[in-house]
Amino acid sequence: MNAEFEKLKVVTKYELLKQVRRRRFYGALILVVIAEALAIALYKGLNIPEALPIPIPDSPKLFALFVAGMGSSVAVLAAVFFAGDSIASEFERKTGYILFPNPVKRSTLVVGKYAACFIVTAVVLVSAYALASAALVGMYRQLPVEVLGSLGLALLLGCSILGLAFLFSSLLKGGMGATIATLLLFMLIFPIIRMGLTYSGREPWFTLDYAADSVSSVYGIPFAEMWQGPMGGMALMTPDPTTSLFVMLAYFVAPFVMSIWITKRREML
Amino acid sequence: MKEAIVIENLSKRYNDFLALDNLSLEVRRNEDVALVGPNGAGKTTALKVLCGLLRPSSGTAYINGVNVVEERERAISKVGAVVETPEFYPFLTPNETLSYLGRLRGMRGRGLKSRIDEVLKLVKLDGWSNVRIEKFSRGMKQRLVLAQSLLHDPPILILDEPTLGLDPRGMAEMRETLKKAREEKTVFFASHLLAEVTQVCDRVALIDHGRLLVYDSIARLKKKYRTSLEGVYLKLTEGAT
């Protein structure tokens, strides 16, 4: 057990080294800086509080909702960027012929890879929230405690997306396929389910994209009502952060456990 | 147990294709055995099962008496393997890659570092130890493949076409390395190159369609069939096809 834990640390360390050596890590960090700067510029330049369908007074929480609220998108993109090819590439690019004939359990390899992906996703997310927090303190001399809650939920969302990406990566032949499948699930399949349920007046609490909105709903601002105008009543529901936390936890645990099970059984053909 | 490798009634089926058909053979400790046969004979499949990369459809295999199917990690802990034409992580250097693999095998500190230097020197990559592998040619990667298989000084080497992708000098150097290794290790290797087989091994297991056709010493086979190893190969595989 202890020896396997030592191996887990080794796998995590070198997987992390691989991740930070890739251009996509720095690309993700640059994208985050650009996105944050753009969000701040738009918030101020377009005077968002006044421009809302139902105008509300400017406040640090509204600013945080608008600027740090993109945490869910950052979590999704970062997780998919780093995790899509984690397992699939070992088979697709034949690196598994070097890694797998070693006395280390496949489950240890998957957990180590996951830990490394989570660390780089967390670095990108924390960078985004750090920039938003710096802007908050600079403009309002305040840092609402909800920012931390939002970050916590965004990190959990990252865990869920990583879990899904790992599941697809263990199932599919290629890393690109796993990346696309994860994005399609989150950006197409879940929204379709959500749309159908919302139109029929049912709360889509179990869909991951709805639960992801808790990253914003944690600020306690009724944003669904605020932005209802152009959506024709589509976004009338706001997710409960506590329910969403458990939903995201389930989307993390179930796919991740399945990905370990599949990888253990997958043959290196 | 005298046998380093035991393959027992091993069969492997890929959908309708039977890659291994009840294959059985034993390799004694410090013996050097070549697994030869035509393309698609089942050589790589057999080696993959031994390395725990494939699960057999039936039968089993043992390394140093440990069941590969049931205790994969323990069975392959004393094995150095080269399977197919593997790739390395392009963003890592040979030093980092070997350090990663060595640490997975429980090697640490100065011992690991000096062993890495030693094997990189052995495969003539010592001048490239800190260059990212993405800059390497196929031949250089193949040298590194051999280096990782020797890193933990395993008593058993399982090698699949180890000279593939090497230039003539590289092939000659690789054979020399294997000849040195065979003095103290069990070498079980698959190859198409019969001249290479003759230089590196004492015994040959010839398989076709996943079945064992003959398993004997090269000298005895030559004597029995009154021809070269190539002649034996052509004669036996012709009958089997």
Side-chain angles (χ1 to χ4, degrees):
Chain A
M1 190 69 186
N2 200 23
E4 211 56 35
F5 184 67
E6 284 302 314
K7 288 175 190 173
L8 175 63
K9 288 199 289 188
V10 172
V11 174
T12 307
K13 180 187 164 184
Y14 284 93
E15 287 294 327
L16 199 55
L17 184 62
K18 271 166 55 189
Q19 293 285 4
V20 298
R21 289 267 172 89
R22 297 164 104 180
R23 286 197 194 101
R24 62 180 68 175
F25 173 65
Y26 301 97
L29 284 176
I30 291 167
L31 276 177
V32 158
V33 174
I34 293 170
E36 291 289 334
L38 200 60
I40 294 166
L42 287 173
Y43 185 86
K44 286 292 172 192
L46 299 175
N47 194 10
I48 293 292
E50 291 296 317
L52 289 168
I54 304 168
I56 57 170
D58 188 14
S59 69
K61 281 189 186 177
L62 184 65
F63 179 84
L65 167 66
F66 191 80
V67 176
M70 73 171 73
S72 58
S73 309
V74 173
V76 172
L77 288 177
V80 169
F81 254 34
F82 304 130
D85 62 355
S86 269
I87 298 169
S89 69
E90 297 290 353
F91 298 87
E92 185 185 22
R93 295 186 194 147
K94 299 185 174 184
T95 46
Y97 284 125
I98 294 291
L99 187 60
F100 295 148
N102 282 290
V104 55
K105 290 179 179 169
R106 291 260 181 113
S107 52
T108 305
L109 293 173
V110 178
V111 175
K113 281 171 178 286
Y114 186 94
C117 285
F118 176 72
I119 291 168
V120 281
T121 302
V123 168
V124 174
L125 263 174
V126 169
S127 304
Y129 275 80
L131 284 172
S133 301
L136 264 169
V137 173
M139 289 181 201
Y140 299 92
R141 308 277 173 229
Q142 278 185 48
L143 184 61
V145 71
E146 287 84 353
V147 172
L148 277 180
S150 176
L151 173 60
L153 287 166
L155 286 170
L156 187 56
L157 175 65
C159 285
S160 316
I161 301 290
L162 283 174
L164 287 170
F166 265 66
L167 174 60
F168 287 120
S169 196
S170 62
L171 268 173
L172 301 177
K173 278 187 180 172
M176 184 58 76
T179 303
I180 292 170
T182 311
L183 283 174
L184 281 179
L185 183 66
F186 191 82
M187 293 180 164
L188 188 71
I189 307 298
F190 282 137
I192 289 172
I193 298 169
R194 177 181 179 171
M195 187 171 69
L197 289 171
T198 311
Y199 269 129
S200 65
R202 295 179 180 89
E203 189 187 13
W205 59 271
F206 59 86
T207 65
L208 188 56
D209 68 326
Y210 183 73
D213 282 351
S214 63
V215 169
S216 300
S217 72
V218 75
Y219 293 106
I221 296 172
F223 62 88
E225 286 82 354
M226 274 161 34
W227 279 306
Q228 68 178 288
M231 298 297 287
M234 260 295 295
L236 272 171
M237 295 169 197
T238 304
D240 169 47
T242 311
T243 309
S244 299
L245 185 145
F246 286 108
V247 169
M248 289 193 280
L249 208 55
Y251 276 103
F252 153 51
V253 174
F256 183 50
V257 170
M258 280 165 72
S259 78
I260 293 174
W261 188 82
I262 294 165
T263 308
K264 278 169 79 172
R265 277 151 190 80
R266 191 164 171 178
E267 293 187 310
M268 194 82 202
L269 296 171
Chain B
M1 200 175 203
K2 281 182 190 169
E3 292 78 20
I5 297 170
V6 175
I7 295 174
E8 224 172 63
N9 304 318
L10 206 61
S11 293
K12 177 66 186 175
R13 184 177 284 280
Y14 301 108
N15 299 320
D16 293 335
F17 178 67
L18 189 60
L20 289 179
D21 186 4
N22 227 19
L23 181 72
S24 294
L25 67 89
E26 293 175 356
V27 180
R28 289 198 204 106
R29 283 200 182 140
N30 294 328
E31 209 171 44
D32 309 302
V33 175
L35 191 62
V36 296
N39 292 327
K43 304 184 294 292
T44 299
T45 300
L47 298 194
K48 281 183 179 179
V49 172
L50 283 174
C51 294
L53 296 169
L54 292 177
R55 277 187 311 279
S57 304
S58 63
T60 195
Y62 298 86
I63 292 177
N64 275 342
V66 182
N67 191 312
V68 176
V69 183
E70 289 168 6
E71 294 180 83
R72 192 195 72 92
E73 288 82 28
R74 197 158 81 85
I76 62 171
S77 63
K78 298 276 189 277
V79 171
V82 173
V83 187
E84 283 214 348
T85 44
E87 277 297 332
F88 290 93
Y89 301 122
F91 308 109
L92 300 186
T93 65
N95 253 339
E96 289 161 350
T97 302
L98 294 179
S99 178
Y100 181 16
L101 300 173
R103 291 176 63 145
L104 284 181
R105 289 186 172 272
M107 300 166 80
R108 291 284 183 276
R110 281 187 190 168
L112 174 58
K113 197 184 173 309
S114 65
R115 183 62 187 161
I116 289 173
D117 293 343
E118 207 174 308
V119 290
L120 285 177
K121 199 170 178 185
L122 187 73
V123 298
K124 299 200 164 41
L125 281 178
D126 42 332
W128 297 81
S129 58
N130 289 313
V131 177
R132 287 195 192 181
I133 298 168
E134 63 189 344
K135 295 191 167 42
F136 280 25
S137 68
R138 180 70 255 163
M140 291 165 80
K141 286 180 193 169
Q142 196 62 16
R143 287 166 187 264
L144 189 55
V145 169
L146 187 68
Q148 64 81 32
S149 74
L150 296 169
L151 180 66
H152 50 296
D153 197 17
I156 300 171
L157 284 175
I158 295 176
L159 312 169
D160 184 13
E161 309 272 4
T163 55
L164 201 73
L166 292 176
D167 57 29
R169 179 177 291 279
M171 288 169 91
E173 285 168 0
M174 181 79 84
R175 274 185 218 123
E176 278 309 306
T177 308
L178 289 178
K179 274 191 216 170
K180 278 181 202 159
R182 61 179 284 197
E183 288 164 13
E184 51 187 23
K185 296 181 194 302
T186 306
V187 180
F188 187 47
F189 95 118
S191 179
H192 280 112
L193 306 172
L194 298 179
E196 183 176 273
V197 166
T198 315
Q199 287 180 45
V200 177
C201 295
D202 308 316
R203 284 162 70 86
V204 167
L206 176 57
I207 64 170
D208 196 11
H209 294 102
R211 286 191 299 269
L212 186 66
L213 301 180
V214 71
Y215 181 32
D216 210 338
S217 75
I218 295 173
R220 265 202 296 271
L221 284 172
K222 282 181 180 174
K223 197 174 170 187
K224 184 178 174 186
Y225 291 93
R226 291 179 188 171
T227 181
S228 63
L229 182 61
E230 189 180 43
V232 175
Y233 176 95
L234 291 173
K235 192 178 175 99
L236 291 175
T237 52
E238 188 183 36
T241 322

